[in-house]
Amino acid sequence: MFQYMFFYWLQHQVKDECVLDDLAFFGSKVPHNGYELERIFGIHAPRMSERFDKETWDMMARERDEKGKSVPQMFRDLGIPITVVREKSVTNLNYNGEVLEPRSESEIPIPNGDAYFHGYWLVDGFFRLYENDILNVFSFPELDGRDKELAELIKLSRQSTAIHVRRGDMAQFGWSAPAEKFAERIKWMEENRAPQRYFLFSDDIPWCRENADALGLSGLKDRLVIVEGHKKEKAYIDMQLMSMCVNRISDRSSFSLLAGFLCRAPNACNISNWKETNAEFVPQ
């Protein structure tokens, strides 16, 4: 979704055709639930896979899986000159041609000729420039059943606050925020916003229950609603419900960062652990 926001921005900067590289969603190592922009949001973006026949595209996926070749490297090996514009610190691209890096988040070089833009682009600049358009594009499907009831409860709760505890691979790499950081941020929220209810989202609810004291959840008692049951193709519903909350206490996760961007509540507040420095208290 962040890359689509960047793509949307880039389309408005150049006259040439732009396409999304969707090779990551083919082959033997498809991340998460695959390509979901069309299934969830109905976005019909131009994709690179549509520019090749199936045999060639399958071959490109094998080249990546077996030899670690990137798409721009494949083009270069065929004699097609291409310049890579790489987000700073995002070095997971094998390419032996010309590589440019932005001088800042707002100064993205746009080369003459064919170019390949590589990065996560996890900044809000591209989003804010076309905020209304992007919010309209990222329009979630209507909720039903228990999820619709949760959405109504969120709307009715004064200063509703989502708590997102990301475990899984982030915990394995040691990137998750320590439990006590959540307790500190809940304390800040209590003193500054006094939420009527908190809504807990996590890919490891059992771990959250086991560490409720350290996370600062035990003191919330009946003001805490635990949200469960959104796995695989329904995982986006967690983001949808989180975006409905006025406030968010987030782990180092692009998932919750997106929920904050998509929040339409006035005077919303995101407390994020995205950067490795101290917690950032970011009222919008």
Side-chain angles (χ1 to χ4, degrees), residues 35-119:
Y35 183 81
E36 295 189 294
L37 289 181
E38 191 159 349
R39 179 179 70 85
I40 297 172
F41 302 107
I43 296 174
H44 303 287
R47 290 179 283 158
M48 192 176 291
S49 59
E50 300 169 340
R51 271 51 177 180
F52 295 89
D53 59 60
K54 185 178 184 306
E55 182 179 356
T56 302
W57 192 246
D58 288 345
M59 179 272 293
M60 292 173 68
R62 289 194 301 273
E63 287 284 292
R64 181 207 58 208
D65 291 345
E66 297 171 8
K67 300 179 182 179
K69 280 192 178 182
S70 65
V71 167
Q73 188 63 54
M74 295 179 204
F75 288 156
R76 181 173 170 79
D77 290 347
L78 291 172
I80 302 172
I82 190 165
T83 300
V84 166
V85 179
R86 184 180 66 194
E87 188 178 13
K88 281 190 175 182
S89 302
V90 182
T91 58
N92 58 340
L93 182 78
N94 295 321
Y95 185 62
N96 61 14
E98 182 182 15
V99 177
L100 304 178
E101 287 190 352
R103 286 190 293 177
S104 69
E105 292 177 352
S106 60
E107 297 180 282
I108 310 297
I110 300 179
N112 295 321
D114 294 329
Y116 183 94
F117 292 82
H118 177 71

Coordinates of all heavy atoms in Angstrom, one line a residue, residues 35-119:
Y35 N -0.9 -10.5 -3.7 CA -1.3 -9.2 -4.2 C -2.8 -9.0 -3.8 O -3.6 -9.7 -4.3 CB -1.1 -9.1 -5.7 CG -1.4 -7.7 -6.3 CD1 -0.5 -6.7 -6.2 CD2 -2.6 -7.5 -6.9 CE1 -0.8 -5.4 -6.8 CE2 -3.0 -6.3 -7.5 CZ -2.1 -5.3 -7.4 OH -2.4 -4.0 -7.9
E36 N -3.1 -7.9 -3.0 CA -4.4 -7.8 -2.5 C -5.1 -6.4 -2.9 O -6.3 -6.2 -2.5 CB -4.5 -7.9 -1.0 CG -4.1 -9.3 -0.5 CD -4.3 -9.5 1.0 OE1 -3.6 -8.8 1.8 OE2 -5.2 -10.3 1.3
L37 N -4.4 -5.6 -3.5 CA -5.0 -4.2 -3.8 C -6.3 -4.4 -4.6 O -7.2 -3.6 -4.4 CB -4.0 -3.4 -4.6 CG -2.8 -2.9 -3.9 CD1 -1.9 -2.0 -4.8 CD2 -3.2 -2.1 -2.6
E38 N -6.3 -5.3 -5.6 CA -7.5 -5.4 -6.4 C -8.6 -6.1 -5.6 O -9.8 -5.7 -5.7 CB -7.2 -6.2 -7.7 CG -8.3 -6.1 -8.7 CD -7.8 -6.4 -10.1 OE1 -6.6 -6.4 -10.3 OE2 -8.7 -6.6 -11.0
R39 N -8.3 -7.2 -4.9 CA -9.3 -8.0 -4.2 C -10.0 -7.1 -3.1 O -11.2 -7.2 -2.9 CB -8.7 -9.2 -3.5 CG -9.7 -10.0 -2.7 CD -9.0 -11.3 -2.1 NE -8.1 -10.9 -1.0 CZ -8.5 -10.8 0.2 NH1 -9.8 -10.9 0.5 NH2 -7.6 -10.5 1.2
I40 N -9.2 -6.4 -2.3 CA -9.8 -5.6 -1.2 C -10.3 -4.3 -1.6 O -11.5 -3.9 -1.2 CB -8.7 -5.4 -0.1 CG1 -8.3 -6.8 0.5 CG2 -9.2 -4.5 1.0 CD1 -7.1 -6.7 1.4
F41 N -9.5 -3.5 -2.4 CA -9.9 -2.1 -2.7 C -10.4 -1.9 -4.2 O -10.9 -0.8 -4.5 CB -8.7 -1.2 -2.5 CG -8.2 -1.3 -1.1 CD1 -7.0 -1.9 -0.8 CD2 -8.9 -0.7 0.0 CE1 -6.5 -1.9 0.5 CE2 -8.4 -0.7 1.2 CZ -7.2 -1.3 1.5
G42 N -10.4 -3.0 -5.0 CA -10.8 -2.8 -6.4 C -9.9 -2.0 -7.2 O -10.3 -1.4 -8.2
I43 N -8.6 -1.9 -6.8 CA -7.6 -1.0 -7.5 C -7.1 -1.8 -8.8 O -6.5 -2.9 -8.6 CB -6.5 -0.6 -6.6 CG1 -7.0 0.3 -5.5 CG2 -5.4 0.1 -7.4 CD1 -5.9 0.6 -4.4
H44 N -7.3 -1.2 -9.9 CA -6.8 -1.9 -11.2 C -5.6 -1.1 -11.6 O -5.6 -0.3 -12.6 CB -7.9 -1.9 -12.2 CG -9.2 -2.5 -11.8 ND1 -9.3 -3.9 -11.7 CD2 -10.4 -2.0 -11.5 CE1 -10.5 -4.2 -11.3 NE2 -11.2 -3.1 -11.2
A45 N -4.5 -1.4 -10.9 CA -3.2 -0.7 -11.3 C -2.5 -1.4 -12.4 O -2.5 -2.6 -12.5 CB -2.3 -0.6 -10.0
P46 N -1.8 -0.7 -13.3 CA -1.0 -1.3 -14.3 C 0.2 -2.1 -13.7 O 0.9 -1.5 -12.9 CB -0.5 -0.2 -15.2 CG -0.6 1.0 -14.3 CD -1.7 0.8 -13.4
R47 N 0.3 -3.4 -14.0 CA 1.3 -4.2 -13.4 C 2.2 -4.8 -14.4 O 1.8 -5.1 -15.6 CB 0.6 -5.4 -12.6 CG -0.1 -4.9 -11.4 CD -0.8 -6.0 -10.6 NE -2.1 -6.4 -11.3 CZ -2.6 -7.6 -11.2 NH1 -2.1 -8.6 -10.5 NH2 -3.8 -7.9 -11.8
M48 N 3.4 -5.1 -14.0 CA 4.4 -5.6 -14.9 C 4.1 -7.0 -15.5 O 4.4 -7.3 -16.6 CB 5.8 -5.6 -14.2 CG 7.0 -5.8 -15.2 SD 8.6 -5.8 -14.3 CE 8.6 -4.0 -13.9
S49 N 3.4 -7.8 -14.6 CA 3.1 -9.1 -15.1 C 2.2 -9.1 -16.3 O 2.1 -10.1 -17.0 CB 2.4 -9.9 -13.9 OG 1.2 -9.2 -13.5
E50 N 1.4 -8.0 -16.5 CA 0.5 -7.9 -17.6 C 1.3 -7.6 -18.9 O 0.7 -7.7 -20.0 CB -0.5 -6.8 -17.4 CG -1.4 -7.1 -16.1 CD -2.2 -5.9 -15.7 OE1 -1.8 -4.7 -16.2 OE2 -3.2 -6.1 -15.0
R51 N 2.6 -7.2 -18.8 CA 3.4 -6.9 -20.0 C 4.2 -8.0 -20.6 O 4.8 -7.9 -21.6 CB 4.4 -5.8 -19.6 CG 3.9 -4.3 -19.7 CD 2.6 -4.1 -19.1 NE 2.2 -2.6 -19.2 CZ 1.1 -2.1 -18.7 NH1 0.3 -2.9 -18.0 NH2 0.9 -0.8 -18.9
F52 N 4.1 -9.2 -19.9 CA 4.8 -10.4 -20.4 C 3.9 -11.6 -20.6 O 2.9 -11.7 -19.9 CB 5.9 -10.7 -19.4 CG 7.0 -9.7 -19.3 CD1 6.9 -8.7 -18.3 CD2 8.1 -9.7 -20.0 CE1 7.9 -7.7 -18.2 CE2 9.1 -8.8 -19.9 CZ 9.0 -7.7 -19.0
D53 N 4.3 -12.5 -21.5 CA 3.5 -13.7 -21.6 C 3.9 -14.6 -20.4 O 4.9 -14.4 -19.7 CB 3.8 -14.4 -22.9 CG 5.3 -14.8 -23.1 OD1 5.8 -15.5 -22.2 OD2 5.9 -14.3 -24.0
K54 N 3.1 -15.6 -20.1 CA 3.2 -16.4 -18.9 C 4.6 -17.1 -18.9 O 5.2 -17.2 -17.8 CB 2.1 -17.5 -18.8 CG 2.1 -18.3 -17.5 CD 1.0 -19.3 -17.5 CE 0.9 -20.0 -16.1 NZ 2.2 -20.7 -15.8
E55 N 5.0 -17.6 -20.0 CA 6.3 -18.4 -20.0 C 7.5 -17.5 -19.6 O 8.3 -17.9 -18.8 CB 6.5 -19.0 -21.4 CG 7.8 -19.8 -21.5 CD 8.0 -20.4 -22.9 OE1 7.1 -20.2 -23.8 OE2 9.1 -21.0 -23.1
T56 N 7.5 -16.3 -20.2 CA 8.6 -15.3 -19.8 C 8.5 -14.9 -18.4 O 9.5 -14.8 -17.7 CB 8.5 -14.1 -20.7 OG1 8.6 -14.5 -22.1 CG2 9.6 -13.1 -20.4
W57 N 7.3 -14.6 -17.9 CA 7.1 -14.2 -16.5 C 7.5 -15.3 -15.5 O 8.1 -15.0 -14.5 CB 5.7 -13.8 -16.3 CG 5.4 -13.0 -15.0 CD1 4.7 -13.4 -13.9 CD2 5.9 -11.7 -14.6 NE1 4.7 -12.5 -12.9 CE2 5.4 -11.4 -13.3 CE3 6.7 -10.8 -15.3 CZ2 5.7 -10.2 -12.7 CZ3 7.0 -9.6 -14.6 CH2 6.5 -9.4 -13.3
D58 N 7.1 -16.5 -15.8 CA 7.6 -17.6 -15.0 C 9.1 -17.8 -14.9 O 9.7 -18.1 -13.9 CB 6.9 -18.9 -15.4 CG 5.4 -19.0 -15.2 OD1 4.9 -18.2 -14.4 OD2 4.7 -19.9 -15.7
M59 N 9.7 -17.6 -16.1 CA 11.2 -17.6 -16.2 C 11.8 -16.5 -15.3 O 12.8 -16.8 -14.6 CB 11.6 -17.5 -17.6 CG 13.1 -17.5 -17.8 SD 13.9 -15.9 -17.7 CE 13.2 -15.1 -19.1
M60 N 11.2 -15.3 -15.3 CA 11.7 -14.3 -14.5 C 11.6 -14.6 -13.0 O 12.5 -14.3 -12.2 CB 11.0 -13.0 -14.8 CG 11.3 -12.4 -16.2 SD 10.2 -11.0 -16.7 CE 10.9 -9.7 -15.6
A61 N 10.5 -15.2 -12.6 CA 10.3 -15.6 -11.2 C 11.4 -16.6 -10.8 O 11.9 -16.6 -9.7 CB 8.9 -16.2 -11.0
R62 N 11.7 -17.6 -11.7 CA 12.8 -18.6 -11.4 C 14.1 -17.9 -11.3 O 14.9 -18.3 -10.4 CB 12.8 -19.6 -12.5 CG 11.6 -20.6 -12.5 CD 11.8 -21.8 -13.3 NE 12.1 -21.5 -14.7 CZ 11.1 -21.3 -15.6 NH1 9.8 -21.5 -15.3 NH2 11.5 -21.1 -16.9
E63 N 14.4 -16.9 -12.2 CA 15.7 -16.2 -12.1 C 15.9 -15.5 -10.8 O 16.9 -15.5 -10.2 CB 15.8 -15.2 -13.3 CG 16.0 -15.8 -14.6 CD 17.4 -16.2 -14.9 OE1 18.3 -15.3 -14.9 OE2 17.7 -17.4 -15.0
R64 N 14.8 -15.0 -10.3 CA 14.8 -14.3 -9.0 C 15.0 -15.4 -7.9 O 15.8 -15.2 -7.0 CB 13.6 -13.5 -8.8 CG 13.5 -12.8 -7.4 CD 12.1 -12.5 -6.9 NE 11.4 -13.8 -6.8 CZ 10.1 -13.9 -6.9 NH1 9.3 -12.9 -7.2 NH2 9.5 -15.1 -6.8
D65 N 14.2 -16.4 -7.9 CA 14.2 -17.4 -6.8 C 15.5 -18.2 -6.8 O 16.0 -18.5 -5.7 CB 13.0 -18.4 -7.0 CG 11.7 -17.7 -6.7 OD1 11.7 -16.6 -6.1 OD2 10.6 -18.3 -7.0
E66 N 16.0 -18.6 -7.9 CA 17.2 -19.5 -8.0 C 18.5 -18.7 -8.1 O 19.5 -19.2 -7.5 CB 17.0 -20.4 -9.2 CG 15.8 -21.3 -9.1 CD 15.6 -22.1 -10.4 OE1 16.4 -22.0 -11.3 OE2 14.5 -22.8 -10.5
K67 N 18.5 -17.5 -8.6 CA 19.8 -16.8 -8.8 C 19.8 -15.5 -8.1 O 20.9 -14.8 -8.1 CB 20.1 -16.6 -10.3 CG 20.2 -17.9 -11.1 CD 20.4 -17.6 -12.6 CE 20.4 -18.9 -13.4 NZ 20.7 -18.6 -14.9
G68 N 18.7 -15.1 -7.5 CA 18.7 -13.8 -6.8 C 18.7 -12.6 -7.6 O 19.1 -11.5 -7.2
K69 N 18.3 -12.8 -8.9 CA 18.4 -11.6 -9.8 C 17.2 -10.7 -9.6 O 16.1 -11.1 -9.4 CB 18.4 -12.1 -11.3 CG 19.7 -12.6 -11.8 CD 19.7 -12.7 -13.3 CE 21.0 -13.2 -13.8 NZ 21.0 -13.3 -15.3
S70 N 17.5 -9.4 -9.6 CA 16.4 -8.4 -9.5 C 15.9 -8.1 -10.9 O 16.5 -8.4 -11.9 CB 16.9 -7.1 -8.9 OG 17.9 -6.5 -9.8
V71 N 14.7 -7.5 -11.0 CA 14.1 -7.2 -12.3 C 15.0 -6.2 -13.1 O 15.3 -6.5 -14.3 CB 12.7 -6.6 -12.1 CG1 12.2 -5.9 -13.4 CG2 11.7 -7.6 -11.7
P72 N 15.5 -5.1 -12.5 CA 16.4 -4.3 -13.3 C 17.7 -5.0 -13.8 O 18.2 -4.7 -14.8 CB 16.7 -3.1 -12.3 CG 16.4 -3.6 -11.0 CD 15.3 -4.6 -11.2
Q73 N 18.2 -5.9 -13.0 CA 19.4 -6.7 -13.4 C 19.0 -7.6 -14.6 O 19.9 -7.7 -15.5 CB 19.9 -7.5 -12.3 CG 21.2 -8.2 -12.6 CD 22.3 -7.2 -12.8 OE1 22.6 -6.3 -12.0 NE2 23.0 -7.3 -13.9
M74 N 17.8 -8.1 -14.6 CA 17.4 -8.9 -15.8 C 17.4 -8.1 -17.0 O 17.8 -8.5 -18.1 CB 16.1 -9.6 -15.5 CG 16.0 -10.6 -14.4 SD 14.3 -11.2 -14.2 CE 14.4 -11.8 -12.4
F75 N 16.8 -6.9 -16.9 CA 16.8 -6.0 -18.0 C 18.2 -5.6 -18.5 O 18.5 -5.6 -19.7 CB 16.0 -4.7 -17.7 CG 14.5 -4.9 -17.5 CD1 13.8 -4.0 -16.8 CD2 13.9 -5.9 -18.2 CE1 12.4 -4.2 -16.6 CE2 12.5 -6.1 -18.0 CZ 11.8 -5.2 -17.3
R76 N 19.1 -5.3 -17.5 CA 20.5 -4.9 -17.9 C 21.2 -6.0 -18.6 O 22.0 -5.8 -19.5 CB 21.2 -4.5 -16.6 CG 22.6 -4.0 -16.8 CD 23.2 -3.5 -15.5 NE 24.7 -3.2 -15.6 CZ 25.2 -2.2 -16.2 NH1 24.4 -1.3 -16.8 NH2 26.5 -2.1 -16.3
D77 N 21.0 -7.3 -18.1 CA 21.6 -8.4 -18.7 C 21.2 -8.6 -20.2 O 21.9 -9.2 -21.0 CB 21.3 -9.7 -17.9 CG 22.0 -9.7 -16.6 OD1 22.9 -8.9 -16.4 OD2 21.7 -10.5 -15.7
L78 N 20.0 -8.1 -20.5 CA 19.5 -8.2 -21.9 C 19.9 -7.0 -22.7 O 19.5 -6.8 -23.9 CB 18.0 -8.3 -21.9 CG 17.4 -9.6 -21.3 CD1 15.9 -9.4 -21.2 CD2 17.7 -10.7 -22.2
G79 N 20.7 -6.1 -22.1 CA 21.2 -4.9 -22.9 C 20.3 -3.7 -22.8 O 20.4 -2.8 -23.6
I80 N 19.3 -3.7 -21.9 CA 18.4 -2.6 -21.8 C 18.9 -1.7 -20.6 O 18.9 -2.1 -19.5 CB 17.0 -3.1 -21.4 CG1 16.5 -4.1 -22.5 CG2 16.0 -2.0 -21.3 CD1 15.2 -4.8 -22.2
P81 N 19.4 -0.5 -20.9 CA 19.9 0.4 -19.9 C 18.7 0.9 -19.0 O 17.7 1.3 -19.5 CB 20.5 1.5 -20.7 CG 19.8 1.5 -22.0 CD 19.4 0.1 -22.3
I82 N 19.0 0.8 -17.7 CA 18.0 1.2 -16.7 C 18.7 1.8 -15.5 O 19.7 1.3 -15.1 CB 17.1 0.1 -16.3 CG1 15.8 0.6 -15.5 CG2 17.8 -1.0 -15.6 CD1 14.7 -0.5 -15.4
T83 N 18.1 2.9 -15.0 CA 18.7 3.5 -13.8 C 17.8 3.2 -12.6 O 16.6 3.3 -12.6 CB 18.7 5.0 -13.9 OG1 19.6 5.4 -15.0 CG2 19.3 5.7 -12.6
V84 N 18.4 2.7 -11.5 CA 17.7 2.4 -10.3 C 17.7 3.6 -9.3 O 18.8 4.2 -9.1 CB 18.3 1.2 -9.6 CG1 17.8 1.0 -8.1 CG2 18.0 -0.1 -10.3
V85 N 16.6 4.0 -8.8 CA 16.5 5.0 -7.8 C 16.1 4.2 -6.5 O 15.0 3.7 -6.4 CB 15.4 6.1 -8.1 CG1 15.3 7.1 -7.0 CG2 15.8 6.7 -9.4
R86 N 17.0 4.2 -5.6 CA 16.8 3.3 -4.4 C 16.6 4.2 -3.1 O 17.4 5.1 -2.9 CB 18.1 2.5 -4.2 CG 18.0 1.5 -3.1 CD 19.3 0.7 -3.0 NE 20.4 1.5 -2.7 CZ 21.7 1.1 -2.8 NH1 22.0 -0.1 -3.3 NH2 22.7 1.9 -2.4
E87 N 15.6 3.9 -2.4 CA 15.4 4.5 -1.1 C 16.6 4.4 -0.2 O 17.2 3.3 -0.2 CB 14.1 4.0 -0.5 CG 13.7 4.7 0.8 CD 12.4 4.1 1.4 OE1 12.0 3.0 1.0 OE2 11.8 4.8 2.2
K88 N 16.9 5.4 0.5 CA 18.1 5.3 1.4 C 18.0 4.2 2.4 O 16.9 4.0 2.9 CB 18.3 6.6 2.1 CG 18.9 7.7 1.3 CD 19.3 8.9 2.2 CE 20.1 9.9 1.4 NZ 20.5 11.1 2.2
S89 N 19.0 3.5 2.6 CA 19.1 2.4 3.6 C 18.4 1.1 3.1 O 18.4 0.1 3.8 CB 18.6 2.8 4.9 OG 19.4 3.9 5.4
V90 N 17.7 1.1 2.0 CA 17.1 -0.1 1.5 C 18.0 -0.7 0.4 O 17.9 -0.4 -0.8 CB 15.7 0.3 0.9 CG1 15.0 -1.0 0.4 CG2 14.8 1.0 1.9
T91 N 18.8 -1.6 0.9 CA 19.9 -2.1 0.0 C 19.7 -3.6 -0.4 O 20.6 -4.2 -0.9 CB 21.3 -2.1 0.8 OG1 21.1 -2.8 2.0 CG2 21.6 -0.6 1.1
N92 N 18.5 -4.1 -0.3 CA 18.2 -5.5 -0.6 C 17.9 -5.6 -2.1 O 16.9 -6.3 -2.4 CB 17.1 -6.0 0.3 CG 15.8 -5.3 0.1 OD1 15.8 -4.1 -0.3 ND2 14.7 -5.9 0.5
L93 N 18.7 -5.1 -2.9 CA 18.5 -5.2 -4.4 C 19.8 -5.5 -5.1 O 20.7 -4.7 -4.9 CB 17.8 -3.9 -4.9 CG 17.5 -3.9 -6.4 CD1 16.2 -4.7 -6.7 CD2 17.4 -2.5 -7.0
N94 N 19.9 -6.6 -5.8 CA 21.1 -6.9 -6.5 C 21.1 -6.2 -7.9 O 20.3 -6.6 -8.7 CB 21.2 -8.4 -6.6 CG 21.4 -9.1 -5.3 OD1 22.1 -8.6 -4.4 ND2 20.8 -10.3 -5.1
Y95 N 22.0 -5.3 -8.1 CA 22.1 -4.6 -9.3 C 23.4 -4.0 -9.5 O 24.0 -3.3 -8.6 CB 21.0 -3.5 -9.4 CG 20.9 -2.8 -10.7 CD1 20.6 -3.5 -11.8 CD2 21.2 -1.4 -10.8 CE1 20.5 -2.8 -13.1 CE2 21.1 -0.8 -12.0 CZ 20.7 -1.5 -13.2 OH 20.7 -0.9 -14.4
N96 N 24.0 -4.2 -10.7 CA 25.4 -3.7 -10.9 C 25.4 -2.5 -11.9 O 26.5 -2.2 -12.4 CB 26.3 -4.8 -11.4 CG 25.9 -5.4 -12.7 OD1 25.0 -4.8 -13.4 ND2 26.4 -6.6 -13.1
G97 N 24.3 -1.8 -12.1 CA 24.2 -0.6 -12.9 C 24.2 0.6 -12.1 O 24.5 0.7 -10.9
E98 N 23.7 1.7 -12.7 CA 23.7 3.0 -12.1 C 22.6 3.0 -11.0 O 21.4 2.6 -11.2 CB 23.4 4.1 -13.1 CG 23.3 5.5 -12.5 CD 23.0 6.6 -13.5 OE1 22.5 6.2 -14.6 OE2 23.2 7.8 -13.2
V99 N 22.9 3.5 -9.8 CA 22.0 3.6 -8.7 C 22.0 5.0 -8.1 O 23.1 5.5 -7.8 CB 22.4 2.5 -7.6 CG1 21.4 2.7 -6.4 CG2 22.3 1.1 -8.1
L100 N 20.9 5.6 -8.0 CA 20.8 6.9 -7.4 C 20.0 6.8 -6.1 O 19.1 5.9 -5.9 CB 20.0 7.9 -8.3 CG 20.6 8.0 -9.7 CD1 19.7 9.0 -10.5 CD2 22.0 8.6 -9.7
E101 N 20.3 7.7 -5.2 CA 19.5 7.7 -3.9 C 19.0 9.1 -3.7 O 19.7 10.1 -4.0 CB 20.5 7.3 -2.7 CG 20.8 5.8 -2.7 CD 21.5 5.5 -1.4 OE1 21.8 6.4 -0.6 OE2 21.6 4.3 -1.1
P102 N 17.8 9.3 -3.1 CA 17.3 10.6 -2.8 C 18.2 11.3 -1.8 O 18.7 10.7 -0.8 CB 15.9 10.3 -2.2 CG 15.6 8.9 -2.6 CD 16.9 8.2 -2.7
R103 N 18.3 12.6 -1.9 CA 19.0 13.4 -0.9 C 18.2 13.6 0.4 O 18.7 13.8 1.4 CB 19.4 14.8 -1.5 CG 20.5 14.7 -2.5 CD 21.1 16.1 -2.9 NE 20.0 16.8 -3.6 CZ 20.2 18.1 -4.0 NH1 21.3 18.7 -3.8 NH2 19.2 18.7 -4.7
S104 N 16.9 13.6 0.2 CA 16.0 13.7 1.3 C 14.7 13.0 0.9 O 14.5 12.6 -0.2 CB 15.7 15.1 1.7 OG 15.0 15.8 0.7
E105 N 13.8 12.9 1.9 CA 12.5 12.2 1.6 C 11.7 13.0 0.6 O 10.8 12.4 -0.1 CB 11.7 12.1 2.9 CG 12.3 11.1 3.9 CD 11.5 11.0 5.2 OE1 10.5 11.9 5.4 OE2 11.8 10.2 6.0
S106 N 11.9 14.3 0.4 CA 11.1 15.1 -0.5 C 11.9 15.4 -1.8 O 11.3 16.0 -2.7 CB 10.8 16.4 0.1 OG 11.9 17.1 0.5
E107 N 13.1 14.9 -2.0 CA 13.9 15.1 -3.2 C 14.2 13.8 -3.8 O 15.3 13.2 -3.7 CB 15.2 15.8 -2.8 CG 14.9 17.2 -2.3 CD 16.3 18.0 -2.0 OE1 16.9 17.6 -0.9 OE2 16.7 18.8 -2.8
I108 N 13.3 13.3 -4.6 CA 13.4 12.0 -5.3 C 13.9 12.2 -6.7 O 13.2 12.9 -7.5 CB 12.1 11.2 -5.4 CG1 11.4 11.2 -4.0 CG2 12.3 9.8 -5.9 CD1 12.2 10.4 -2.9
P109 N 15.1 11.8 -7.1 CA 15.6 12.0 -8.4 C 14.8 11.2 -9.4 O 14.4 10.1 -9.2 CB 17.0 11.4 -8.4 CG 17.0 10.5 -7.2 CD 16.0 11.0 -6.2
I110 N 14.4 11.9 -10.5 CA 13.7 11.2 -11.6 C 14.6 11.2 -12.9 O 14.7 12.3 -13.5 CB 12.3 11.9 -11.9 CG1 11.5 11.8 -10.6 CG2 11.6 11.2 -13.1 CD1 10.1 12.5 -10.7
P111 N 15.2 10.1 -13.2 CA 16.2 10.1 -14.3 C 15.5 10.2 -15.7 O 14.3 10.0 -15.8 CB 16.8 8.7 -14.2 CG 16.4 8.2 -12.9 CD 15.1 8.8 -12.5
N112 N 16.2 10.6 -16.7 CA 15.8 10.6 -18.0 C 15.9 9.1 -18.5 O 16.8 8.4 -18.1 CB 16.6 11.4 -19.0 CG 16.5 12.9 -18.6 OD1 15.4 13.4 -18.3 ND2 17.6 13.7 -18.7
G113 N 15.0 8.7 -19.3 CA 15.0 7.3 -19.7 C 14.3 6.3 -18.8 O 13.7 6.8 -17.8
D114 N 14.6 5.1 -19.0 CA 13.9 4.0 -18.2 C 14.5 4.0 -16.7 O 15.7 4.1 -16.6 CB 14.1 2.6 -18.8 CG 13.4 2.5 -20.1 OD1 12.3 3.2 -20.3 OD2 13.8 1.8 -21.0
A115 N 13.6 3.9 -15.8 CA 14.1 3.9 -14.4 C 13.3 2.9 -13.6 O 12.1 2.6 -13.9 CB 13.9 5.3 -13.8
Y116 N 13.9 2.4 -12.5 CA 13.3 1.4 -11.6 C 13.4 2.0 -10.2 O 14.5 2.3 -9.7 CB 14.0 0.1 -11.7 CG 13.3 -1.0 -10.9 CD1 12.4 -1.9 -11.4 CD2 13.7 -1.2 -9.5 CE1 11.8 -2.9 -10.7 CE2 13.1 -2.2 -8.8 CZ 12.2 -3.1 -9.3 OH 11.7 -4.1 -8.6
F117 N 12.2 2.2 -9.5 CA 12.2 2.8 -8.2 C 12.1 1.7 -7.2 O 11.1 1.0 -7.2 CB 11.1 3.8 -8.1 CG 11.3 5.1 -8.9 CD1 11.0 5.0 -10.3 CD2 11.9 6.2 -8.4 CE1 11.2 6.2 -11.1 CE2 12.1 7.3 -9.2 CZ 11.7 7.3 -10.5
H118 N 13.1 1.6 -6.3 CA 13.1 0.5 -5.3 C 13.1 1.0 -3.9 O 13.9 1.9 -3.5 CB 14.4 -0.3 -5.5 CG 14.5 -1.5 -4.5 ND1 13.7 -2.6 -4.6 CD2 15.4 -1.6 -3.5 CE1 14.1 -3.4 -3.6 NE2 15.0 -2.8 -2.9
G119 N 12.1 0.6 -3.1 CA 12.0 1.0 -1.7 C 10.7 0.6 -1.1 O 9.8 0.1 -1.8

